[in-house]
Amino acid sequence: MTSPQTLALTPHQEQALQTLLRRYQGGGQSALLPLLHDIQAITGWVDEPTARAVAHTLGIPEIEVHNVLEFYTLFYNRPVGKHVIRVCNDLACMLAGHEAIIRALADHLGVPEQGGTSADGRFTLELHPCLGHCELAPFLMLDEEPMGPVSPDQIPDLLGGVS
Amino acid sequence: MTSTISLTIDGQPVEAPADATVLQAAEAAGITIPTLCHHPNLTPPAVCRLCVVEWEGRRTLQPACVTQVAADAVIHTRSPRVDLARRTILEMLATTVDLSDAPELRAMLAEYDAHPERFGEDLTRREHEVIIDNSFFVRDYDKCVLCWRCVEACGTDMEHAFALGFSGRGFETSIATFFENPMPETTCVFCGNCVGVCPTGALKDRRVFELEMATDY
Amino acid sequence: MSYEPVLTARIGKIDPASLTDYEAHGGFQALIRAVELGPGRVVALMEEATLLGRGGAAFPAGIKWRAVHQAEGPKFVVANADESEPGTFKDRVLMEGDPYALIEAVILAGFATAADKGFIYVRGEYARAYQRLRHAIARCYEAGYLGRDILGSGFEFHIELRRGAGAYICGEETALFESIEGKRGYPRLKPPFPTQAGLFGRPTLINNVETLINALHIVLRGPAWFNSIGPAHSPGPKLYPLSGRVQRPGLVEAPMGITLRELIEEHGGGVSGSGEFRVALVGGAAGAFLGPDHLNTPLDFRSLASIGAALGSGAVIVFDTSVDMKPILQRIADFFAHESCGKCYPCQLGTMRQRDIIARMVAGQGRPGDLQLLRDIGQTMRDTSICGLGQTASNAILSAFELKLT
């Protein structure tokens, strides 16, 4: 973690977040992962003030929120693109030519092949350990949408079709 | 009243309370087992695995600090398997962190004939800047072996301050504050317990640190 | 050889959203039968069937069911749906295609063990399975399969659906408990075992998805039927996720103990790429490579253990002779370095050193003692790691060197 960054939420998002926090009030540590998932569905990532609010909402030490945010790869405590593309980087997808998919995505988004966020902040490319769709290799997930087998020439349409 | 049981450690008949750990039973019999993460006042996290012993009939080596004795157990605190495990863990540790302030660990490296150099040079290490953000203590995580003692002391084992936790995971784990904020901005109460339990000089009294700095030149 | 699929019979034939469709295809018949039999008899059936855990550890399910059945409440049932082993997609296919079956199985397990509540912990990346299960659970509450007085039995049971968040280690049962409890997925020290002190410190029955689905059929068709399928030492239907260089990758249901050759030739349509088989990785990254010598080895727990391999999840990834194996080994080493939780030293350090050493070997800069280093690291991880992740993290790589794949 480097310079502190904070979420810029629309009034609508802010309201949704506050409603969510009220719903989880006093929920205890066991509600931590569900709450973080629900928050990220609204905000995309969790900044420091939000993490603090999570701790106070659930009634747990702040450090516990940090510990969990840092452990799980689907949680983000720094900015992430509006859409996250997770390309399966594992054995079956390697054998099915996932390199060409990664290259096409990286070229299109202007990010390194190891992953990164596009300059306009719309997309984050991530290489992900086996996504469990090996019969559909090469495989990727665009946010929560499973896609496979994918070919490199589908990439422009795939990205163009996203709001 | 706990009952007493008999077992064999290193060929020696040993009597121990039924609820004793192997480490306690061995110590009572005058047999030394090396430890690192273990601290008498803290919950044993059993993470360092340096105290492992060979227990005949069990598939894996057993951590002596948390494994309860059993009647008629036959245990070896030194064996080729045990020594290989201790040596390899020590070698990997020595190629990962700075052990210059950990004389006990350096002695262990010698005792187990560890040769960290056999791992070569082009290895991933854990490197961190020294953090001086308060007037009481300094954090030099180049020297941190992730024994968890400071986290436990800061948490439910002693202080209940909950200032210390973890960033990252796996090899890239580091001890951290909430969002890696400077210590004065955390729930730290500067009790000093974490500094007291640190076995490798990663946490150090600021005056001691400055004195060492001054005498280094 | 004709074999009628059981575990996957409904998949593709029913609408996974429709409870009535599920009921029309035999759904909830096992639970109805279980209520007729009573908890004690259901547990006895589970003991009579030699059902070895399908998550990979092959622990007899009946022993767990008995232990939790006898334990004092409150107690829990947990479905381990955190499928993350590379090459493994069987539980995903079950949950996406037949979500009510998992819910029925969890209720049945809860009834048999007199548990208070069930949890289904689905891998975070399995969004579609999660959504389908969420819908199905809501429908089951509406229809009275969940809640109070289920099927007039007086039994009250609830299911909470949980979602992982990107951590292979959470497939380890005690790390999974920690995750449900809102913590980092660090495996716990054992003992105590889950049946003694599991989720929230209470007696807990935790089974893999495929294991639980098998329980439905054991209750419906009986243990004799189950034990008659495949080899007597590890019987029953088995799911084999088949991928890599085969003509038709996919999920195969077969009697336990099918051979690698049958799997590849009869179900996978043969080897693709060069068309010539080189090696298969059996059991995922935690498994081992098997060469042509083992094409006729039955893929069951005991046969594979006897040759120093493991069935694990049953995943089979096939490699033909045209594949450069170096990047494959690097990927396996990278995987474990990325997924080690970092709790215990042997795995935290060993997975990274294994990765470092493989990297220099792959780059052609290996040192003379490197293979010995890998063996020492492997033995240390196997002997001293807290959990199965570290204990198996060197298996595939060491087996590749045994077979001289690079």
Side-chain angles (χ1 to χ4, degrees):
Chain A
M1 254 174 296
T2 49
S3 61
Q5 287 165 298
T6 49
L7 283 160
L9 299 182
T10 64
H12 179 74
Q13 286 175 315
E14 186 59 44
Q15 197 184 358
L17 181 60
Q18 292 311 320
T19 305
L20 193 60
L21 291 173
R22 272 196 300 277
R23 183 149 65 80
Y24 275 92
Q25 191 66 42
Q29 188 151 359
S30 175
L32 180 53
L33 272 76
L35 176 53
L36 292 175
H37 272 303
D38 285 352
I39 287 174
Q40 287 198 163
I42 300 168
T43 63
W45 64 284
V46 181
D47 66 358
E48 187 178 331
T50 308
R52 226 178 264 282
V54 165
H56 296 162
T57 292
L58 299 181
I60 60 173
E62 290 168 353
I63 193 69
E64 297 290 347
V65 182
H66 177 86
N67 288 345
V68 162
L69 284 171
E70 283 279 322
F71 189 83
Y72 296 94
T73 60
L74 299 186
F75 292 144
Y76 300 92
N77 54 11
R78 66 205 79 184
V80 66
K82 187 176 173 206
H83 301 286
V84 181
I85 305 165
R86 298 187 175 91
V87 184
C88 182
N89 186 35
D90 233 304
L91 303 175
C93 289
M94 289 174 77
L95 293 173
H98 80 322
E99 264 179 40
I101 310 296
I102 294 167
R103 202 173 305 124
L105 281 164
D107 283 355
H108 213 85
L109 300 174
V111 301
E113 289 188 17
Q114 298 88 328
T117 299
S118 60
D120 61 4
R122 288 185 66 225
F123 292 99
T124 293
L125 171 67
E126 287 184 359
L127 307 192
H128 203 88
C130 184
L131 284 164
H133 289 70
C134 317
E135 82 278 33
L136 302 172
F139 179 83
L140 63 81
M141 289 192 75
L142 173 55
D143 296 324
E144 305 222 313
E145 192 62 38
M147 298 183 180
V150 185
S151 74
D153 48 341
Q154 288 173 282
I155 298 300
D157 280 354
L158 190 148
L159 296 178
V162 177
S163 63
Chain B
M1 222 17 229
T2 43
S3 57
T4 299
I5 54 130
S6 314
L7 67 159
T8 307
I9 304 181
D10 292 348
Q12 182 181 327
V14 172
E15 304 271 310
D19 61 354
T21 63
V22 173
L23 184 64
Q24 289 164 340
E27 274 174 0
I31 297 166
T32 305
I33 296 173
T35 57
L36 171 55
C37 62
H38 183 263
H39 186 283
N41 299 341
L42 299 169
T43 309
V47 295
C48 78
R49 318 305 272 186
L50 287 171
C51 69
V52 289
V53 296
E54 191 163 351
W55 181 312
E56 285 189 15
R58 292 200 177 175
R59 181 174 59 90
T60 58
L61 301 179
Q62 307 284 307
C65 64
V66 289
T67 305
Q68 199 178 319
V69 294
D72 303 326
V74 180
I75 292 167
H76 306 278
T77 72
R78 294 294 292 260
S79 75
R81 255 175 99 192
V82 168
D83 283 15
L84 173 80
R86 289 183 189 156
R87 178 165 59 243
T88 308
I89 292 169
L90 288 165
E91 288 171 341
M92 295 195 295
L93 205 52
T95 57
T96 300
V97 295
D98 171 6
L99 298 180
S100 61
D101 259 345
E104 286 176 18
L105 271 173
R106 291 211 314 277
M108 245 187 261
L109 279 154
E111 183 178 349
Y112 287 90
D113 195 26
H115 290 278
E117 67 280 2
R118 74 186 180 117
F119 277 74
E121 315 238 296
D122 48 344
L123 301 168
T124 312
R125 289 181 68 90
R126 282 201 288 263
E127 281 165 1
H128 301 271
E129 303 272 317
V130 177
I131 304 171
I132 307 175
D133 60 9
N134 68 83
S135 45
F136 299 97
F137 65 96
V138 170
R139 294 182 284 155
D140 182 359
Y141 288 133
D142 270 5
K143 294 176 177 161
C144 174
V145 292
L146 296 172
C147 67
W148 291 24
R149 287 184 184 185
C150 57
V151 176
E152 292 193 335
C154 189
T156 48
D157 276 359
M158 286 183 181
E159 199 55 38
H160 289 77
F162 303 105
L164 294 176
F166 302 94
S167 281
R169 74 178 184 199
F171 187 89
E172 309 291 349
T173 307
S174 59
I175 303 298
T177 58
F178 178 72
F179 275 71
E180 293 174 14
N181 284 326
M183 212 41 95
E185 294 173 28
T186 70
T187 51
C188 175
V189 295
F190 299 97
C191 68
N193 279 332
C194 58
V195 179
V197 296
C198 178
T200 59
L203 299 178
K204 197 173 276 182
D205 186 297
R206 184 154 175 185
R207 285 165 307 176
V208 175
F209 177 82
E210 280 165 1
L211 191 64
E212 285 174 359
M213 281 307 195
T215 50
D216 265 0
Y217 295 103
Chain C
M1 187 185 62
S2 80
Y3 168 82
E4 194 67 34
V6 178
L7 308 175
T8 54
R10 275 184 292 261
I11 294 171
K13 296 196 180 73
I14 62 163
D15 172 3
S18 167
L19 176 57
T20 48
D21 217 7
Y22 179 67
E23 289 169 323
H25 288 79
F28 283 107
Q29 290 305 308
L31 185 61
I32 290 167
R33 181 85 186 112
V35 169
E36 288 166 7
L37 293 169
R41 186 68 198 124
V42 173
V43 171
L45 293 176
M46 288 299 289
E47 288 175 314
E48 289 162 34
T50 311
L51 172 57
L52 306 180
R54 300 312 201 221
F59 189 82
I63 294 178
K64 290 187 184 179
W65 286 51
R66 170 65 65 196
V68 178
H69 172 79
Q70 287 173 338
E72 291 289 321
K75 47 197 174 180
F76 300 107
V77 169
V78 178
N80 184 345
D82 192 45
E83 177 173 74
S84 312
E85 186 62 50
T88 308
F89 50 90
K90 64 191 180 72
D91 298 340
R92 190 201 93 234
V93 171
L94 290 173
M95 292 187 286
E96 288 182 352
D98 198 9
Y100 290 96
L102 177 59
I103 294 162
E104 182 182 357
V106 173
I107 301 168
L108 188 152
F111 175 75
T113 56
D116 296 81
K117 189 174 176 183
F119 286 83
I120 302 176
Y121 185 97
V122 185
R123 181 177 185 193
E125 291 86 343
Y126 281 2
R128 183 169 284 176
Y130 177 82
Q131 284 149 9
R132 287 186 178 169
L133 284 166
R134 192 170 59 177
H135 169 81
I137 288 170
R139 290 289 296 117
C140 287
Y141 271 106
E142 287 163 16
Y145 290 114
L146 280 167
R148 287 188 186 165
D149 193 23
I150 294 167
L151 296 173
S153 63
F155 174 60
E156 176 172 352
F157 193 66
H158 299 274
I159 292 181
E160 188 171 334
L161 183 62
R162 287 300 190 101
R163 204 172 171 182
Y168 170 74
I169 185 61
C170 289
E172 199 282 335
E173 55 195 17
T174 61
L176 191 155
F177 298 152
E178 293 283 302
S179 187
I180 293 179
E181 293 180 17
K183 304 173 197 161
R184 291 163 73 88
Y186 284 142
R188 299 176 183 169
L189 306 170
K190 295 183 200 176
F193 294 95
T195 53
Q196 307 163 297
L199 184 60
F200 302 113
R202 301 303 311 166
T204 303
L205 172 66
I206 179 164
N207 277 148
N208 163 264
V209 172
E210 185 186 347
T211 310
L212 285 164
I213 302 294
N214 268 290
L216 296 178
H217 299 283
I218 289 167
V219 168
L220 274 178
R221 297 157 194 254
W225 160 82
F226 184 88
N227 292 341
S228 72
I229 298 169
H233 50 75
S234 40
K238 180 75 193 96
L239 299 178
Y240 296 97
L242 176 64
S243 68
R245 292 284 169 84
V246 287
Q247 301 290 349
R248 291 194 306 271
L251 183 63
V252 175
E253 180 179 340
M256 180 76 84
I258 185 176
T259 66
L260 201 47
R261 186 187 305 281
E262 288 165 336
L263 191 62
I264 295 168
E265 298 299 329
E266 290 167 29
H267 296 277
V271 177
S272 64
S274 72
E276 199 182 329
F277 176 84
R278 174 147 195 222
V279 76
L281 182 61
V282 175
F289 286 100
L290 296 185
D293 292 352
H294 288 298
L295 278 167
N296 295 324
T297 301
L299 298 173
D300 64 60
F301 292 114
R302 186 184 290 183
S303 303
L304 288 167
S306 73
I307 57 166
L311 180 61
S313 62
V316 174
I317 307 175
V318 176
F319 302 82
D320 68 275
T321 49
S322 73
V323 179
D324 177 5
M325 295 304 288
K326 290 194 184 79
I328 301 294
L329 291 196
Q330 183 72 66
R331 177 58 211 149
I332 294 170
D334 288 353
F335 176 82
F336 285 112
H338 184 258
E339 297 299 339
S340 170
C341 75
K343 181 174 181 177
C344 70
Y345 291 16
C347 177
Q348 170 211 109
L349 303 168
T351 54
M352 183 56 79
R353 286 295 166 262
Q354 177 171 267
R355 193 189 93 151
D356 288 340
I357 292 165
I358 293 289
R360 70 187 178 214
M361 291 170 93
V362 165
Q365 317 209 314
R367 294 158 52 95
D370 276 356
L371 188 52
Q372 190 56 47
L373 280 176
L374 289 174
R375 290 194 178 118
D376 288 355
I377 294 167
Q379 189 178 333
T380 300
M381 288 199 286
R382 196 161 43 248
D383 268 348
T384 69
S385 294
I386 291 177
C387 81
L389 192 157
Q391 289 169 14
T392 59
S394 63
N395 287 358
I397 284 166
L398 291 178
S399 76
F401 284 102
E402 295 277 312
L403 293 171
K404 299 189 174 8
L405 293 182
T406 58

